[in-house]
Amino acid sequence: MLPRVLRACGTAVPKVTGFKQQALRPLLCPVQQRCFSLSSAAKVAKDLQAEIGHEEEQYQQAKEIKKFLDSSSFKFKEKEGDVNMHLEREVGDKLVKVEWQLTSPFDPTADVEGDQEGGEEYEATDFCITIESKSGAGVSFYCSTQTGEDHRYVIGNVKSFATTEEKESVSSYNGPEFEDVDEKLQESFDE
Protein backbone atom coordinates (compact mmCIF):
# COMPACT_ATOMS: atom_id res chain seq x y z
CA MET A 1 0.00 0.00 0.00
CA LEU A 2 2.73 2.50 0.95
CA PRO A 3 4.64 2.20 -2.35
CA ARG A 4 1.42 2.99 -4.31
CA VAL A 5 0.74 6.06 -2.14
CA LEU A 6 4.30 7.27 -2.45
CA ARG A 7 4.33 6.82 -6.22
CA ALA A 8 1.03 8.76 -6.42
CA CYS A 9 2.69 11.57 -4.46
CA GLY A 10 5.67 11.45 -6.82
CA THR A 11 8.07 10.35 -4.10
CA ALA A 12 10.83 7.75 -4.45
CA VAL A 13 9.89 4.56 -2.61
CA PRO A 14 12.28 3.64 0.21
CA LYS A 15 12.78 -0.01 1.19
CA VAL A 16 10.80 -0.09 4.46
CA THR A 17 8.44 -2.82 5.58
CA GLY A 18 6.04 -3.70 8.42
CA PHE A 19 5.63 -1.44 11.45
CA LYS A 20 8.30 1.01 10.28
CA GLN A 21 6.40 1.43 7.02
CA GLN A 22 3.24 2.57 8.87
CA ALA A 23 5.16 4.85 11.24
CA LEU A 24 6.98 6.61 8.39
CA ARG A 25 3.94 7.07 6.13
CA PRO A 26 3.08 10.65 7.26
CA LEU A 27 6.70 11.73 6.86
CA LEU A 28 7.23 10.30 3.39
CA CYS A 29 4.21 11.72 1.54
CA PRO A 30 4.71 15.44 0.92
CA VAL A 31 1.94 17.78 2.10
CA GLN A 32 0.46 20.24 -0.35
CA GLN A 33 0.94 23.81 0.91
CA ARG A 34 -0.79 27.03 0.03
CA CYS A 35 1.11 30.30 0.11
CA PHE A 36 0.41 33.95 -0.59
CA SER A 37 2.01 35.41 -3.63
CA LEU A 38 4.73 37.89 -2.83
CA SER A 39 2.74 40.83 -4.23
CA SER A 40 -0.43 40.02 -2.23
CA ALA A 41 1.58 39.52 0.98
CA ALA A 42 3.21 42.91 0.45
CA LYS A 43 -0.22 44.51 -0.14
CA VAL A 44 -1.64 42.97 3.05
CA ALA A 45 1.41 44.14 5.05
CA LYS A 46 1.08 47.67 3.62
CA ASP A 47 -2.66 47.80 4.42
CA LEU A 48 -2.08 46.51 7.96
CA GLN A 49 0.64 49.12 8.53
CA ALA A 50 -1.72 51.86 7.32
CA GLU A 51 -4.50 50.64 9.64
CA ILE A 52 -2.13 50.54 12.64
CA GLY A 53 -0.95 54.08 11.83
CA HIS A 54 -4.54 55.31 11.57
CA GLU A 55 -5.50 53.73 14.92
CA GLU A 56 -2.45 55.20 16.68
CA GLU A 57 -3.13 58.70 15.29
CA GLN A 58 -6.87 58.68 16.03
CA TYR A 59 -6.87 57.03 19.48
CA GLN A 60 -8.14 59.18 22.33
CA GLN A 61 -8.60 57.85 25.84
CA ALA A 62 -12.16 58.33 27.13
CA LYS A 63 -12.38 61.43 29.32
CA GLU A 64 -13.99 59.43 32.17
CA ILE A 65 -11.02 57.04 32.24
CA LYS A 66 -8.49 59.88 32.06
CA LYS A 67 -10.27 61.73 34.89
CA PHE A 68 -10.34 58.58 37.05
CA LEU A 69 -6.64 57.81 36.49
CA ASP A 70 -5.64 61.43 37.17
CA SER A 71 -7.63 61.64 40.42
CA SER A 72 -7.05 58.10 41.76
CA SER A 73 -4.12 56.50 43.50
CA PHE A 74 -4.66 53.40 41.33
CA LYS A 75 -2.07 52.86 38.62
CA PHE A 76 -3.15 51.33 35.30
CA LYS A 77 -0.92 48.42 34.20
CA GLU A 78 -0.90 46.62 30.86
CA LYS A 79 1.58 44.80 28.64
CA GLU A 80 1.90 45.47 24.93
CA GLY A 81 -0.18 42.96 22.97
CA ASP A 82 -1.75 41.37 26.08
CA VAL A 83 -5.52 41.37 26.71
CA ASN A 84 -5.03 41.17 30.50
CA MET A 85 -5.04 44.53 32.30
CA HIS A 86 -5.20 45.68 35.89
CA LEU A 87 -5.34 48.60 38.27
CA GLU A 88 -3.22 48.43 41.39
CA ARG A 89 -2.43 50.47 44.45
CA GLU A 90 -0.93 49.99 47.88
CA VAL A 91 -3.06 50.52 50.97
CA GLY A 92 -0.85 50.31 54.02
CA ASP A 93 1.08 47.04 53.75
CA LYS A 94 -1.46 45.50 51.35
CA LEU A 95 -1.57 45.48 47.54
CA VAL A 96 -5.01 45.92 45.97
CA LYS A 97 -5.39 44.70 42.38
CA VAL A 98 -8.39 44.86 40.06
CA GLU A 99 -7.82 42.56 37.04
CA TRP A 100 -9.88 42.08 33.88
CA GLN A 101 -9.53 41.26 30.19
CA LEU A 102 -9.94 43.56 27.24
CA THR A 103 -13.29 43.26 25.46
CA SER A 104 -14.53 44.73 22.23
CA PRO A 105 -16.15 48.16 22.60
CA PHE A 106 -18.65 47.20 19.91
CA ASP A 107 -21.84 45.32 20.69
CA PRO A 108 -22.28 42.54 18.10
CA THR A 109 -26.06 42.53 18.73
CA ALA A 110 -26.47 46.24 17.97
CA ASP A 111 -27.96 47.26 14.65
CA VAL A 112 -26.20 49.49 12.12
CA GLU A 113 -27.25 52.75 13.80
CA GLY A 114 -25.85 51.50 17.12
CA ASP A 115 -29.21 50.96 18.82
CA GLN A 116 -29.70 47.88 20.98
CA GLU A 117 -32.01 45.27 19.49
CA GLY A 118 -35.01 44.67 21.69
CA GLY A 119 -33.44 46.47 24.65
CA GLU A 120 -31.00 43.64 25.39
CA GLU A 121 -28.50 44.27 28.15
CA TYR A 122 -24.78 44.59 27.51
CA GLU A 123 -22.58 41.57 27.98
CA ALA A 124 -21.07 41.31 31.46
CA THR A 125 -17.35 41.79 32.08
CA ASP A 126 -15.68 39.41 34.53
CA PHE A 127 -13.07 40.86 36.85
CA CYS A 128 -11.16 39.91 39.99
CA ILE A 129 -10.32 42.08 43.01
CA THR A 130 -7.39 40.78 45.06
CA ILE A 131 -6.14 42.18 48.36
CA GLU A 132 -2.78 40.68 49.26
CA SER A 133 -0.32 41.28 52.09
CA LYS A 134 3.45 41.27 51.61
CA SER A 135 3.53 37.77 53.19
CA GLY A 136 1.45 36.45 50.26
CA ALA A 137 -1.79 35.90 52.21
CA GLY A 138 -4.96 37.53 51.01
CA VAL A 139 -8.43 37.31 49.54
CA SER A 140 -9.80 37.41 45.96
CA PHE A 141 -13.31 38.36 44.88
CA TYR A 142 -14.34 36.97 41.49
CA CYS A 143 -16.93 39.41 40.16
CA SER A 144 -18.93 40.36 37.11
CA THR A 145 -20.45 43.65 35.97
CA GLN A 146 -24.22 43.94 35.87
CA THR A 147 -26.51 46.51 34.34
CA GLY A 148 -29.41 47.88 36.33
CA GLU A 149 -30.11 50.40 39.03
CA ASP A 150 -29.53 48.25 42.13
CA HIS A 151 -26.02 46.95 41.42
CA ARG A 152 -23.14 47.66 39.11
CA TYR A 153 -21.35 44.40 39.89
CA VAL A 154 -22.05 40.99 41.36
CA ILE A 155 -19.62 38.92 43.46
CA GLY A 156 -19.47 35.32 42.24
CA ASN A 157 -16.85 33.67 44.48
CA VAL A 158 -14.68 34.68 47.42
CA LYS A 159 -11.33 32.92 47.81
CA SER A 160 -8.88 33.30 50.67
CA PHE A 161 -5.29 32.13 50.39
CA ALA A 162 -2.32 31.85 52.75
CA THR A 163 0.51 31.97 50.20
CA THR A 164 1.20 33.28 46.69
CA GLU A 165 1.56 29.67 45.48
CA GLU A 166 -1.91 28.84 46.79
CA LYS A 167 -3.33 31.97 45.12
CA GLU A 168 -1.80 31.13 41.72
CA SER A 169 -2.62 27.41 41.77
CA VAL A 170 -5.08 26.62 38.98
CA SER A 171 -6.38 23.59 40.83
CA SER A 172 -7.03 25.27 44.19
CA TYR A 173 -10.57 25.81 45.46
CA ASN A 174 -12.01 29.20 44.39
CA GLY A 175 -14.15 29.53 47.49
CA PRO A 176 -17.91 29.29 47.92
CA GLU A 177 -20.49 30.92 45.69
CA PHE A 178 -21.11 34.35 47.19
CA GLU A 179 -24.84 33.62 47.44
CA ASP A 180 -24.03 30.70 49.79
CA VAL A 181 -22.19 32.94 52.28
CA ASP A 182 -24.07 34.17 55.37
CA GLU A 183 -26.45 37.03 54.48
CA LYS A 184 -24.92 39.42 57.06
CA LEU A 185 -21.49 38.91 55.48
CA GLN A 186 -22.97 39.48 51.99
CA GLU A 187 -24.57 42.72 53.15
CA SER A 188 -21.32 44.00 54.69
CA PHE A 189 -19.44 43.30 51.44
CA ASP A 190 -22.24 44.93 49.48
CA GLU A 191 -21.93 48.18 51.46
Side-chain angles (χ1 to χ4, degrees), residues 122-177:
Y122 290 101
E123 189 174 322
T125 300
D126 295 331
F127 63 100
C128 179
I129 300 172
T130 303
I131 304 163
E132 186 175 359
S133 68
K134 295 190 188 302
S135 69
V139 64
S140 292
F141 300 91
Y142 297 95
C143 307
S144 185
T145 58
Q146 177 181 343
T147 58
E149 293 184 26
D150 293 342
H151 294 90
R152 293 187 179 182
Y153 66 92
V154 174
I155 300 172
N157 294 80
V158 180
K159 174 184 177 179
S160 65
F161 49 90
T163 63
T164 303
E165 293 79 25
E166 185 180 342
K167 175 184 96 172
E168 294 174 356
S169 172
V170 261
S171 62
S172 67
Y173 176 57
N174 279 340
E177 292 288 326

Short mmCIF file of all heavy atoms in Angstrom, two decimals, residues 122-177:
data_model
loop_
_atom_site.label_atom_id
_atom_site.label_comp_id
_atom_site.label_asym_id
_atom_site.label_seq_id
_atom_site.Cartn_x
_atom_site.Cartn_y
_atom_site.Cartn_z
N TYR A 122 -26.15 44.79 27.95
CA TYR A 122 -24.78 44.59 27.51
C TYR A 122 -24.21 43.33 28.15
O TYR A 122 -24.62 42.92 29.23
CB TYR A 122 -23.91 45.79 27.89
CG TYR A 122 -24.23 47.02 27.09
CD1 TYR A 122 -25.00 48.04 27.62
CD2 TYR A 122 -23.76 47.15 25.80
CE1 TYR A 122 -25.30 49.17 26.89
CE2 TYR A 122 -24.05 48.28 25.05
CZ TYR A 122 -24.81 49.28 25.60
OH TYR A 122 -25.11 50.38 24.87
N GLU A 123 -23.23 42.76 27.47
CA GLU A 123 -22.58 41.57 27.98
C GLU A 123 -21.76 41.94 29.22
O GLU A 123 -21.13 42.99 29.27
CB GLU A 123 -21.65 41.00 26.90
CG GLU A 123 -21.09 39.66 27.26
CD GLU A 123 -20.30 39.06 26.13
OE1 GLU A 123 -20.70 39.21 24.96
OE2 GLU A 123 -19.26 38.43 26.43
N ALA A 124 -21.79 41.07 30.20
CA ALA A 124 -21.07 41.31 31.46
C ALA A 124 -19.57 41.19 31.25
O ALA A 124 -19.11 40.48 30.36
CB ALA A 124 -21.53 40.31 32.51
N THR A 125 -18.81 41.90 32.07
CA THR A 125 -17.35 41.79 32.08
C THR A 125 -16.93 41.16 33.40
O THR A 125 -17.30 41.65 34.47
CB THR A 125 -16.69 43.18 31.95
OG1 THR A 125 -17.11 43.78 30.73
CG2 THR A 125 -15.18 43.09 31.99
N ASP A 126 -16.20 40.06 33.33
CA ASP A 126 -15.68 39.41 34.53
C ASP A 126 -14.43 40.12 34.99
O ASP A 126 -13.61 40.55 34.16
CB ASP A 126 -15.37 37.94 34.24
CG ASP A 126 -16.61 37.13 33.91
OD1 ASP A 126 -17.69 37.48 34.39
OD2 ASP A 126 -16.49 36.16 33.15
N PHE A 127 -14.28 40.25 36.30
CA PHE A 127 -13.07 40.86 36.85
C PHE A 127 -12.79 40.26 38.22
O PHE A 127 -13.64 39.60 38.81
CB PHE A 127 -13.18 42.39 36.91
CG PHE A 127 -14.27 42.91 37.81
CD1 PHE A 127 -13.99 43.37 39.08
CD2 PHE A 127 -15.60 42.97 37.37
CE1 PHE A 127 -15.00 43.86 39.91
CE2 PHE A 127 -16.60 43.47 38.17
CZ PHE A 127 -16.30 43.91 39.45
N CYS A 128 -11.58 40.47 38.71
CA CYS A 128 -11.16 39.91 39.99
C CYS A 128 -10.51 41.02 40.81
O CYS A 128 -9.65 41.75 40.32
CB CYS A 128 -10.16 38.78 39.75
SG CYS A 128 -9.55 38.03 41.27
N ILE A 129 -10.93 41.13 42.07
CA ILE A 129 -10.32 42.08 43.01
C ILE A 129 -9.54 41.26 44.02
O ILE A 129 -10.11 40.39 44.68
CB ILE A 129 -11.39 42.94 43.72
CG1 ILE A 129 -12.20 43.73 42.70
CG2 ILE A 129 -10.73 43.86 44.75
CD1 ILE A 129 -13.40 44.45 43.27
N THR A 130 -8.25 41.52 44.14
CA THR A 130 -7.39 40.78 45.06
C THR A 130 -6.74 41.76 46.03
O THR A 130 -6.22 42.79 45.62
CB THR A 130 -6.30 40.00 44.30
OG1 THR A 130 -6.93 39.14 43.36
CG2 THR A 130 -5.44 39.19 45.25
N ILE A 131 -6.81 41.41 47.31
CA ILE A 131 -6.14 42.18 48.36
C ILE A 131 -5.13 41.22 48.97
O ILE A 131 -5.50 40.18 49.52
CB ILE A 131 -7.14 42.68 49.42
CG1 ILE A 131 -8.24 43.49 48.72
CG2 ILE A 131 -6.42 43.49 50.49
CD1 ILE A 131 -9.47 43.70 49.56
N GLU A 132 -3.84 41.59 48.86
CA GLU A 132 -2.78 40.68 49.26
C GLU A 132 -1.76 41.39 50.14
O GLU A 132 -1.34 42.51 49.84
CB GLU A 132 -2.11 40.14 47.99
CG GLU A 132 -1.08 39.08 48.21
CD GLU A 132 -0.56 38.52 46.90
OE1 GLU A 132 -1.01 38.93 45.82
OE2 GLU A 132 0.32 37.65 46.98
N SER A 133 -1.36 40.71 51.22
CA SER A 133 -0.32 41.28 52.09
C SER A 133 1.05 40.91 51.53
O SER A 133 1.17 40.06 50.65
CB SER A 133 -0.47 40.74 53.52
OG SER A 133 -0.17 39.37 53.54
N LYS A 134 2.08 41.54 52.06
CA LYS A 134 3.45 41.27 51.61
C LYS A 134 3.86 39.83 51.88
O LYS A 134 4.70 39.27 51.20
CB LYS A 134 4.42 42.26 52.24
CG LYS A 134 4.17 43.68 51.78
CD LYS A 134 5.27 44.60 52.22
CE LYS A 134 4.97 46.05 51.95
NZ LYS A 134 4.69 46.44 50.63
N SER A 135 3.21 39.17 52.87
CA SER A 135 3.53 37.77 53.19
C SER A 135 2.96 36.81 52.15
O SER A 135 3.31 35.64 52.12
CB SER A 135 2.97 37.41 54.57
OG SER A 135 1.55 37.38 54.53
N GLY A 136 2.06 37.30 51.28
CA GLY A 136 1.45 36.45 50.26
C GLY A 136 0.04 36.00 50.60
O GLY A 136 -0.65 35.43 49.77
N ALA A 137 -0.43 36.26 51.81
CA ALA A 137 -1.79 35.90 52.21
C ALA A 137 -2.76 36.97 51.72
O ALA A 137 -2.39 38.14 51.58
CB ALA A 137 -1.88 35.77 53.73
N GLY A 138 -3.99 36.55 51.45
CA GLY A 138 -4.96 37.53 51.01
C GLY A 138 -6.30 36.93 50.66
O GLY A 138 -6.60 35.79 51.01
N VAL A 139 -7.09 37.73 49.94
CA VAL A 139 -8.43 37.31 49.54
C VAL A 139 -8.70 37.83 48.13
O VAL A 139 -8.25 38.92 47.77
CB VAL A 139 -9.50 37.81 50.55
CG1 VAL A 139 -9.58 39.32 50.59
CG2 VAL A 139 -10.86 37.21 50.26
N SER A 140 -9.42 37.02 47.33
CA SER A 140 -9.80 37.41 45.96
C SER A 140 -11.32 37.33 45.84
O SER A 140 -11.94 36.38 46.31
CB SER A 140 -9.17 36.49 44.92
OG SER A 140 -7.78 36.67 44.86
N PHE A 141 -11.88 38.33 45.17
CA PHE A 141 -13.31 38.36 44.88
C PHE A 141 -13.45 38.23 43.37
O PHE A 141 -12.95 39.08 42.63
CB PHE A 141 -13.93 39.69 45.33
CG PHE A 141 -13.79 39.95 46.80
CD1 PHE A 141 -12.69 40.65 47.29
CD2 PHE A 141 -14.76 39.51 47.69
CE1 PHE A 141 -12.56 40.90 48.64
CE2 PHE A 141 -14.63 39.76 49.05
CZ PHE A 141 -13.52 40.45 49.52
N TYR A 142 -14.09 37.17 42.91
CA TYR A 142 -14.34 36.97 41.49
C TYR A 142 -15.71 37.58 41.19
O TYR A 142 -16.72 37.14 41.72
CB TYR A 142 -14.29 35.49 41.14
CG TYR A 142 -12.92 34.91 41.39
CD1 TYR A 142 -12.63 34.27 42.58
CD2 TYR A 142 -11.91 35.05 40.45
CE1 TYR A 142 -11.36 33.76 42.82
CE2 TYR A 142 -10.64 34.54 40.68
CZ TYR A 142 -10.37 33.89 41.87
OH TYR A 142 -9.13 33.39 42.11
N CYS A 143 -15.73 38.61 40.35
CA CYS A 143 -16.93 39.41 40.16
C CYS A 143 -17.29 39.53 38.68
O CYS A 143 -16.52 39.14 37.81
CB CYS A 143 -16.69 40.83 40.70
SG CYS A 143 -16.10 40.89 42.39
N SER A 144 -18.45 40.12 38.45
CA SER A 144 -18.93 40.36 37.11
C SER A 144 -19.75 41.65 37.12
O SER A 144 -20.45 41.92 38.09
CB SER A 144 -19.80 39.19 36.66
OG SER A 144 -20.18 39.33 35.33
N THR A 145 -19.64 42.44 36.05
CA THR A 145 -20.45 43.65 35.97
C THR A 145 -21.90 43.28 35.70
O THR A 145 -22.19 42.21 35.19
CB THR A 145 -19.96 44.58 34.84
OG1 THR A 145 -20.02 43.88 33.61
CG2 THR A 145 -18.56 45.09 35.11
N GLN A 146 -22.80 44.17 36.07
CA GLN A 146 -24.22 43.94 35.87
C GLN A 146 -24.89 45.27 35.60
O GLN A 146 -24.62 46.25 36.28
CB GLN A 146 -24.82 43.29 37.12
CG GLN A 146 -26.31 43.08 37.05
CD GLN A 146 -26.86 42.47 38.33
OE1 GLN A 146 -26.12 41.92 39.13
NE2 GLN A 146 -28.15 42.57 38.51
N THR A 147 -25.76 45.28 34.61
CA THR A 147 -26.51 46.51 34.34
C THR A 147 -27.73 46.55 35.25
O THR A 147 -28.18 45.52 35.74
CB THR A 147 -26.95 46.58 32.87
OG1 THR A 147 -27.74 45.44 32.59
CG2 THR A 147 -25.78 46.65 31.93
N GLY A 148 -28.23 47.72 35.48
CA GLY A 148 -29.41 47.88 36.33
C GLY A 148 -29.16 48.95 37.37
O GLY A 148 -28.05 49.43 37.55
N GLU A 149 -30.22 49.31 38.07
CA GLU A 149 -30.11 50.40 39.03
C GLU A 149 -29.62 49.94 40.40
O GLU A 149 -29.00 50.71 41.12
CB GLU A 149 -31.47 51.09 39.17
CG GLU A 149 -31.88 51.80 37.89
CD GLU A 149 -33.17 52.57 38.05
OE1 GLU A 149 -33.48 52.96 39.19
OE2 GLU A 149 -33.84 52.77 37.04
N ASP A 150 -29.90 48.70 40.79
CA ASP A 150 -29.53 48.25 42.13
C ASP A 150 -28.04 47.97 42.29
O ASP A 150 -27.46 48.30 43.31
CB ASP A 150 -30.31 46.98 42.50
CG ASP A 150 -31.80 47.26 42.66
OD1 ASP A 150 -32.16 48.44 42.82
OD2 ASP A 150 -32.58 46.31 42.62
N HIS A 151 -27.43 47.34 41.30
CA HIS A 151 -26.02 46.95 41.42
C HIS A 151 -25.28 47.27 40.13
O HIS A 151 -25.85 47.28 39.06
CB HIS A 151 -25.91 45.44 41.67
CG HIS A 151 -26.45 45.02 42.99
ND1 HIS A 151 -27.75 44.65 43.16
CD2 HIS A 151 -25.86 44.92 44.20
CE1 HIS A 151 -27.95 44.32 44.42
NE2 HIS A 151 -26.83 44.48 45.08
N ARG A 152 -24.00 47.50 40.28
CA ARG A 152 -23.14 47.66 39.11
C ARG A 152 -22.25 46.45 38.94
O ARG A 152 -21.65 46.28 37.91
CB ARG A 152 -22.29 48.91 39.25
CG ARG A 152 -23.14 50.15 39.22
CD ARG A 152 -22.30 51.36 39.18
NE ARG A 152 -23.18 52.52 39.13
CZ ARG A 152 -22.74 53.73 39.06
NH1 ARG A 152 -21.47 53.98 39.03
NH2 ARG A 152 -23.59 54.73 39.02
N TYR A 153 -22.15 45.62 39.98
CA TYR A 153 -21.35 44.40 39.89
C TYR A 153 -21.96 43.35 40.81
O TYR A 153 -22.72 43.65 41.71
CB TYR A 153 -19.90 44.65 40.26
CG TYR A 153 -19.71 45.04 41.70
CD1 TYR A 153 -19.45 44.07 42.67
CD2 TYR A 153 -19.80 46.36 42.12
CE1 TYR A 153 -19.30 44.41 44.00
CE2 TYR A 153 -19.64 46.71 43.44
CZ TYR A 153 -19.40 45.73 44.37
OH TYR A 153 -19.25 46.06 45.68
N VAL A 154 -21.59 42.10 40.55
CA VAL A 154 -22.05 40.99 41.36
C VAL A 154 -20.82 40.17 41.74
O VAL A 154 -19.95 39.92 40.90
CB VAL A 154 -23.03 40.09 40.56
CG1 VAL A 154 -23.40 38.86 41.34
CG2 VAL A 154 -24.26 40.87 40.16
N ILE A 155 -20.72 39.78 43.01
CA ILE A 155 -19.62 38.92 43.46
C ILE A 155 -20.03 37.48 43.23
O ILE A 155 -21.08 37.06 43.68
CB ILE A 155 -19.31 39.16 44.96
CG1 ILE A 155 -18.91 40.62 45.18
CG2 ILE A 155 -18.20 38.21 45.41
CD1 ILE A 155 -18.76 41.00 46.65
N GLY A 156 -19.19 36.73 42.52
CA GLY A 156 -19.47 35.32 42.24
C GLY A 156 -18.88 34.41 43.28
O GLY A 156 -19.57 33.61 43.90
N ASN A 157 -17.56 34.50 43.51
CA ASN A 157 -16.85 33.67 44.48
C ASN A 157 -15.94 34.54 45.33
O ASN A 157 -15.51 35.60 44.89
CB ASN A 157 -15.98 32.62 43.78
CG ASN A 157 -16.77 31.61 43.02
OD1 ASN A 157 -17.21 31.88 41.91
ND2 ASN A 157 -16.96 30.45 43.60
N VAL A 158 -15.64 34.04 46.53
CA VAL A 158 -14.68 34.68 47.42
C VAL A 158 -13.66 33.61 47.79
O VAL A 158 -14.02 32.53 48.26
CB VAL A 158 -15.36 35.21 48.70
CG1 VAL A 158 -14.33 35.88 49.60
CG2 VAL A 158 -16.47 36.18 48.36
N LYS A 159 -12.39 33.90 47.55
CA LYS A 159 -11.33 32.92 47.81
C LYS A 159 -10.29 33.54 48.74
O LYS A 159 -9.77 34.62 48.46
CB LYS A 159 -10.66 32.51 46.49
CG LYS A 159 -9.47 31.61 46.66
CD LYS A 159 -8.80 31.34 45.32
CE LYS A 159 -7.57 30.51 45.48
NZ LYS A 159 -6.94 30.23 44.20
N SER A 160 -9.99 32.85 49.82
CA SER A 160 -8.88 33.30 50.67
C SER A 160 -7.70 32.38 50.44
O SER A 160 -7.87 31.21 50.08
CB SER A 160 -9.30 33.29 52.15
OG SER A 160 -9.56 31.98 52.57
N PHE A 161 -6.50 32.92 50.62
CA PHE A 161 -5.29 32.13 50.39
C PHE A 161 -4.22 32.55 51.40
O PHE A 161 -4.19 33.70 51.85
CB PHE A 161 -4.78 32.28 48.96
CG PHE A 161 -4.69 33.70 48.48
CD1 PHE A 161 -3.53 34.44 48.65
CD2 PHE A 161 -5.77 34.31 47.87
CE1 PHE A 161 -3.45 35.75 48.22
CE2 PHE A 161 -5.71 35.63 47.43
CZ PHE A 161 -4.54 36.34 47.60
N ALA A 162 -3.36 31.59 51.75
CA ALA A 162 -2.32 31.85 52.75
C ALA A 162 -0.98 32.18 52.12
O ALA A 162 -0.14 32.83 52.75
CB ALA A 162 -2.18 30.63 53.67
N THR A 163 -0.78 31.74 50.86
CA THR A 163 0.51 31.97 50.20
C THR A 163 0.26 32.37 48.73
O THR A 163 -0.82 32.13 48.18
CB THR A 163 1.38 30.71 50.20
OG1 THR A 163 0.71 29.70 49.43
CG2 THR A 163 1.65 30.21 51.60
N THR A 164 1.29 32.93 48.11
CA THR A 164 1.20 33.28 46.69
C THR A 164 1.02 32.03 45.84
O THR A 164 0.26 32.04 44.88
CB THR A 164 2.48 34.03 46.26
OG1 THR A 164 2.64 35.17 47.10
CG2 THR A 164 2.40 34.47 44.82
N GLU A 165 1.69 30.92 46.23
CA GLU A 165 1.56 29.67 45.48
C GLU A 165 0.12 29.17 45.51
O GLU A 165 -0.42 28.72 44.50
CB GLU A 165 2.49 28.58 46.05
CG GLU A 165 3.97 28.86 45.85
CD GLU A 165 4.54 29.86 46.85
OE1 GLU A 165 3.99 30.01 47.97
OE2 GLU A 165 5.53 30.53 46.51
N GLU A 166 -0.52 29.27 46.67
CA GLU A 166 -1.91 28.84 46.79
C GLU A 166 -2.82 29.74 45.94
O GLU A 166 -3.75 29.26 45.29
CB GLU A 166 -2.35 28.90 48.25
CG GLU A 166 -3.74 28.35 48.50
CD GLU A 166 -4.13 28.44 49.97
OE1 GLU A 166 -3.26 28.58 50.85
OE2 GLU A 166 -5.35 28.36 50.23
N LYS A 167 -2.54 31.03 45.92
CA LYS A 167 -3.33 31.97 45.12
C LYS A 167 -3.23 31.65 43.63
O LYS A 167 -4.22 31.66 42.91
CB LYS A 167 -2.86 33.40 45.35
CG LYS A 167 -3.56 34.44 44.48
CD LYS A 167 -3.00 35.81 44.66
CE LYS A 167 -1.99 36.06 43.58
NZ LYS A 167 -1.49 37.40 43.50
N GLU A 168 -2.03 31.34 43.15
CA GLU A 168 -1.80 31.13 41.72
C GLU A 168 -2.06 29.71 41.25
O GLU A 168 -2.01 29.44 40.06
CB GLU A 168 -0.37 31.55 41.37
CG GLU A 168 -0.18 33.04 41.55
CD GLU A 168 1.25 33.50 41.36
OE1 GLU A 168 2.14 32.64 41.16
OE2 GLU A 168 1.48 34.71 41.41
N SER A 169 -2.35 28.80 42.15
CA SER A 169 -2.62 27.41 41.77
C SER A 169 -3.94 27.32 41.00
O SER A 169 -4.98 27.76 41.47
CB SER A 169 -2.70 26.53 43.02
OG SER A 169 -3.13 25.24 42.67
N VAL A 170 -3.88 26.75 39.80
CA VAL A 170 -5.08 26.62 38.98
C VAL A 170 -6.03 25.57 39.52
O VAL A 170 -7.22 25.62 39.23
CB VAL A 170 -4.74 26.29 37.51
CG1 VAL A 170 -4.76 27.47 36.64
CG2 VAL A 170 -3.47 25.51 37.38
N SER A 171 -5.53 24.66 40.32
CA SER A 171 -6.38 23.59 40.83
C SER A 171 -6.89 23.85 42.25
O SER A 171 -7.60 23.02 42.80
CB SER A 171 -5.63 22.26 40.79
OG SER A 171 -4.49 22.31 41.61
N SER A 172 -6.56 25.00 42.83
CA SER A 172 -7.03 25.27 44.19
C SER A 172 -8.50 25.68 44.18
O SER A 172 -9.03 26.16 43.18
CB SER A 172 -6.18 26.36 44.86
OG SER A 172 -6.36 27.59 44.22
N TYR A 173 -9.15 25.52 45.29
CA TYR A 173 -10.57 25.81 45.46
C TYR A 173 -10.79 27.32 45.39
O TYR A 173 -10.13 28.09 46.08
CB TYR A 173 -11.03 25.24 46.81
CG TYR A 173 -12.45 25.54 47.19
CD1 TYR A 173 -13.51 25.17 46.36
CD2 TYR A 173 -12.75 26.17 48.39
CE1 TYR A 173 -14.82 25.42 46.72
CE2 TYR A 173 -14.06 26.43 48.76
CZ TYR A 173 -15.09 26.05 47.91
OH TYR A 173 -16.39 26.31 48.26
N ASN A 174 -11.73 27.77 44.56
CA ASN A 174 -12.01 29.20 44.39
C ASN A 174 -12.95 29.77 45.42
O ASN A 174 -13.41 30.90 45.29
CB ASN A 174 -12.58 29.48 42.99
CG ASN A 174 -11.50 29.55 41.95
OD1 ASN A 174 -10.34 29.76 42.26
ND2 ASN A 174 -11.88 29.35 40.72
N GLY A 175 -13.28 29.02 46.44
CA GLY A 175 -14.15 29.53 47.49
C GLY A 175 -15.61 29.28 47.15
O GLY A 175 -15.96 28.88 46.05
N PRO A 176 -16.47 29.55 48.13
CA PRO A 176 -17.91 29.29 47.92
C PRO A 176 -18.53 30.31 46.98
O PRO A 176 -18.00 31.39 46.77
CB PRO A 176 -18.48 29.44 49.33
CG PRO A 176 -17.57 30.42 49.98
CD PRO A 176 -16.20 30.13 49.44
N GLU A 177 -19.69 29.94 46.43
CA GLU A 177 -20.49 30.92 45.69
C GLU A 177 -20.88 32.00 46.69
O GLU A 177 -21.23 31.71 47.84
CB GLU A 177 -21.75 30.25 45.12
CG GLU A 177 -21.49 29.25 44.03
CD GLU A 177 -21.07 29.92 42.73
OE1 GLU A 177 -21.55 31.03 42.42
OE2 GLU A 177 -20.26 29.31 42.02
#
